[in-house]
Amino acid sequence: MTEQAGAAKPGRERQEIQAVPVRHPGRWVAVAILAVLAAMLVHTVITNDRFGWDVVGQYLFSAPILNGLRNTLVLTVLSMVIGIVGGIGLAVMRQSPNPIVSGAAATYIWLFRGTPLIAQLLFWNFLSALYPRLSLGIPFGPEFVSVDTNILITQFAACLLGLGLNEAAYMAEIVRGGLLSVDRGQAEAAGALGMTRAQALRRIVLPQAMRVIVPPTGNETISMLKTTSLVVVIGYFELLTSAQRISNQNFQVIPLLIVAAFWYLALTSLLTIGQGFVERRYGRGFVPDRPGSRLLPKAGNK
Amino acid sequence: MTPMVEASGIHKSFGPTEVLRGIDLVVQPGEVCCIIGPSGSGKSTLLRCVNHLERIDAGRMRVDGKLIGYHEAGGKLHELRESEVSRQRRDIGMVFQRFNLFPHMTAAENVMEAPRTVLGTSRAAARKAAEELLDRVGLSARRDAYPGQLSGGQQQRVAIARALAMQPRLMLFDEPTSALDPELVGEVLDVMRGLAADGMTMLVVTHEMGFAREVGDSLVFMDDGVIVEEGAPRDVLSAPRHERTRSFLSKVL
């Protein structure tokens, strides 16, 4: 390369730039407006006693609310586990060279994304109307065990089936997007080293796809946290249902909505922090010292 | 002596495009065979057929006397299972133009990966072997660096060490220096020169005529899916017999 004339030659006298910085009066106006709005908000939250902060305090840690919170957590975690495992399976099926296998996955995704979640929850709950008894046996052959559908598919099981199987369809597309984001050369390099397709997927492709899969999965998890409240349509209860049951009796609607909102925000915050850690784990080798979460900046980062 | 690579009548098409149109090639054990030719001549495809990354349409590909991708029984060819193809590939190392290192693993982890996953080598033994291999390619100081922190030349040397970790009997190089900055080409060629001196059988698709002349035992010129000319590198490069070879060499030399 030819050196550019006079470019950064040592010894040349250094001329500091002394310029008048551009003023930004608009920014000060914006700050002033926001400050006034914030002050108004704080003022009204404190002075308007119809917020019922005493009621909020009274119910925040009450047994029915904590019960509902537990159900929300259990439903979210288990549905997401079903959704993620099912989603990975469907995404891998979708990429299968066998058109029947890939078509089956596509049909599943079409069906479960294309119908309302409420309808799916109701369907699983009323499965017994369609099949009063479920049995295990050889297809078209003898049956080994047979049980009453209503005993096997409890309300809780119907919730999990509805939320989890629906989530799997969405997760399948997220995982597929992640798998597609990994360069084909990676699977080829793994194959050339003697790894089977399954080994290459597990060790090479999936860990890299995770970088792309994790952020939307965090989205889905946070969304699921609140979607679980739909289980009320089949008579199950979780956090929001618990809050509403209480306010139906004492008519303190706003305070109990605040109680529910508090817990949803608390859980969402925890999930956001957790997502930061997971992202940092799968970001290895891509961006050095990547700040995983803005809530928890790594020491040394600005 | 059984040839290390024996390709006979290889044909390969991608859709309507016939990329390989009847290739016959023999590489003896310990031989360094360089393949040159214009882009689109099918040289990379031929290399990828050797380890069955591409499935051939016609002909037979043998490595160390064994049919690749198929086995012959009762006068019929039977496709090999995926696990059997994987087993065949263990003995054939491959180095890619774009390195294809695993970006989520350090240099040492890249080298350890295949022995650990495919052969079930213990962590300690794989680590020791990886350190020796990285030392051999002059990168022992960078063993804990991620590929993203290495220069192109360093990445390609790690890729060579990674391929060597499976103790292959044949190494395939697919334009190993084409993606490198000019000043980094030398360090990769040095490693390859060392490998050749150690007696490794190598099939090298390259544009480095100097390397082909100096290290290669044989040189193959491919154009339009066929081998136009082959022979000792010195002869082919300095006294090409075919017009197409001559015109290609006049452009690159």
Side-chain angles (χ1 to χ4, degrees):
Chain A
M1 296 289 276
T2 52
E3 205 174 317
Q4 277 179 1
K9 284 236 176 92
R12 168 142 319 191
E13 201 178 317
R14 186 183 154 103
Q15 290 190 326
E16 295 295 345
I17 291 175
Q18 286 173 336
V20 179
V22 175
R23 308 282 174 207
H24 297 283
R27 287 184 193 171
W28 290 105
V29 175
V31 167
I33 293 174
L34 286 175
V36 170
L37 287 175
M40 285 168 70
L41 183 66
V42 170
H43 179 256
T44 181
V45 163
I46 293 172
T47 57
N48 184 347
D49 55 7
R50 275 175 290 193
F51 271 102
W53 293 109
D54 54 329
V55 183
V56 172
Q58 185 190 334
Y59 283 104
L60 197 53
F61 296 99
S62 67
I65 292 292
L66 292 184
N67 253 338
L69 179 67
R70 193 199 57 215
N71 276 2
T72 292
L73 266 176
V74 169
L75 283 175
T76 303
V77 169
L78 292 183
S79 309
M80 283 311 293
V81 168
I82 295 172
I84 290 170
V85 173
I88 292 175
L90 284 165
V92 171
M93 283 173 70
R94 195 85 174 69
Q95 304 235 12
S96 164
N98 183 332
I100 304 294
V101 173
S102 130
T107 307
Y108 178 99
I109 294 167
W110 169 77
L111 185 64
F112 280 83
R113 284 199 310 182
T115 54
L117 177 53
I118 291 190
Q120 290 173 32
L121 282 166
L122 289 169
F123 175 84
W124 292 115
N125 195 44
F126 295 116
L127 191 65
S128 62
L130 196 58
Y131 299 105
R133 293 189 74 77
L134 296 177
S135 52
L136 192 68
I138 297 166
F140 307 108
E143 293 172 359
F144 303 132
V145 262
S146 169
V147 286
D148 187 336
T149 301
N150 278 330
I151 290 173
L152 190 68
I153 311 287
T154 59
Q155 256 176 359
F156 179 70
C159 293
L160 281 188
L161 281 171
L163 295 170
L165 296 185
N166 180 264
E167 186 56 36
Y170 286 93
M171 281 304 304
E173 289 295 276
I174 291 175
V175 173
R176 191 167 71 92
L179 295 178
L180 288 177
S181 77
V182 180
D183 182 48
R184 239 168 53 94
Q186 292 290 309
E188 270 181 5
L193 284 165
M195 293 165 96
T196 61
R197 260 183 52 166
Q199 286 170 334
L201 182 73
R202 189 169 51 83
R203 298 284 309 164
I204 308 300
V205 178
L206 209 46
Q208 293 180 60
M210 285 305 281
R211 208 168 57 92
V212 177
I213 292 172
V214 168
T217 304
N219 245 355
E220 289 293 310
T221 311
I222 288 170
S223 173
M224 177 63 80
L225 202 58
K226 291 154 293 176
T227 306
T228 51
S229 56
L230 287 184
V231 299
V232 70
V233 299
I234 57 174
Y236 202 64
F237 75 101
E238 44 64 74
L239 180 55
L240 191 63
T241 325
S242 298
Q244 281 180 320
R245 279 182 188 169
I246 297 170
S247 62
N248 282 344
Q249 286 166 8
N250 66 6
F251 305 111
Q252 300 279 358
V253 177
I254 298 291
L256 280 148
L257 283 179
I258 291 174
V259 168
F262 169 86
W263 283 115
Y264 281 121
L265 284 172
L267 291 179
T268 302
S269 309
L270 278 178
L271 284 173
T272 309
I273 294 169
Q275 184 183 337
F277 282 111
V278 177
E279 278 185 26
R280 201 173 305 169
R281 164 76 175 73
Y282 286 110
R284 271 191 322 174
F286 285 92
V287 186
D289 287 337
R290 183 168 194 245
S293 157
R294 270 187 292 171
L295 287 172
L296 287 178
K298 221 177 154 187
N301 279 344
K302 38 180 182 156
Chain B
M1 192 159 55
T2 319
M4 187 56 82
V5 179
E6 190 182 5
S8 50
I10 306 289
H11 284 257
K12 170 73 190 172
S13 300
F14 292 112
T17 324
E18 203 172 19
V19 181
L20 299 178
R21 303 184 297 138
I23 298 281
D24 296 298
L25 180 68
V26 172
V27 181
Q28 297 298 341
E31 182 179 336
V32 176
C33 174
C34 295
I35 306 176
I36 60 171
S39 60
S41 58
K43 48 197 195 311
S44 285
T45 304
L46 174 62
L47 205 66
R48 294 162 59 84
C49 289
V50 175
N51 65 353
H52 208 56
L53 278 183
E54 302 291 353
R55 179 192 300 254
I56 56 177
D57 300 330
R60 298 280 188 278
M61 181 68 79
R62 285 190 173 80
V63 172
D64 208 9
K66 283 207 198 76
L67 210 52
I68 290 295
Y70 302 89
H71 75 94
E72 210 156 12
K76 258 188 176 169
L77 281 188
H78 301 262
E79 272 187 45
L80 290 184
R81 285 172 213 283
E82 195 210 337
S83 59
E84 293 166 322
V85 172
S86 293
R87 185 169 282 275
Q88 291 187 326
R89 285 178 178 156
R90 290 181 192 179
D91 295 333
I92 309 172
M94 188 167 199
V95 174
F96 299 84
Q97 182 179 357
R98 308 272 343 156
F99 328 134
N100 295 356
L101 286 183
F102 307 134
H104 58 306
M105 299 179 180
T106 63
E109 286 168 347
N110 263 279
V111 181
M112 292 161 66
E113 180 57 27
R116 295 270 293 137
T117 308
V118 178
L119 305 177
T121 311
S122 77
R123 195 178 169 77
R127 178 93 201 171
K128 189 164 169 289
E131 280 169 10
E132 283 168 12
L133 282 167
L134 286 174
D135 191 40
R136 186 166 163 194
V137 299
L139 282 174
S140 47
R142 304 304 315 269
R143 62 187 175 216
D144 294 322
Y146 285 98
Q149 299 164 329
L150 299 172
S151 73
Q154 291 173 330
Q155 288 189 53
Q156 195 61 297
R157 281 145 69 199
V158 174
I160 294 172
R162 178 178 70 174
L164 291 176
M166 293 298 283
Q167 299 181 312
R169 278 175 296 172
L170 166 69
M171 284 285 283
L172 308 174
F173 291 85
D174 188 3
E175 302 196 27
T177 58
S178 296
L180 296 177
D181 290 338
E183 78 270 24
L184 302 177
V185 168
E187 60 189 64
V188 171
L189 292 182
D190 282 345
V191 169
M192 291 169 63
R193 208 169 277 133
L195 262 184
D198 291 345
M200 175 63 78
T201 314
M202 294 159 65
L203 194 50
V204 186
V205 171
T206 187
H207 292 295
E208 295 294 329
M209 301 301 158
F211 177 83
R213 182 194 299 267
E214 181 201 337
V215 183
D217 299 306
S218 57
L219 185 68
V220 171
F221 172 69
M222 275 181 74
D223 190 17
D224 204 17
V226 293
I227 291 177
V228 176
E229 184 164 353
E230 60 181 309
R234 215 161 289 274
D235 300 342
V236 177
L237 289 174
S238 42
R241 292 189 305 272
H242 285 77
E243 177 50 38
R244 269 195 285 177
T245 319
R246 227 169 284 145
S247 86
F248 173 74
L249 289 175
S250 72
K251 282 173 203 150
V252 296
L253 283 180

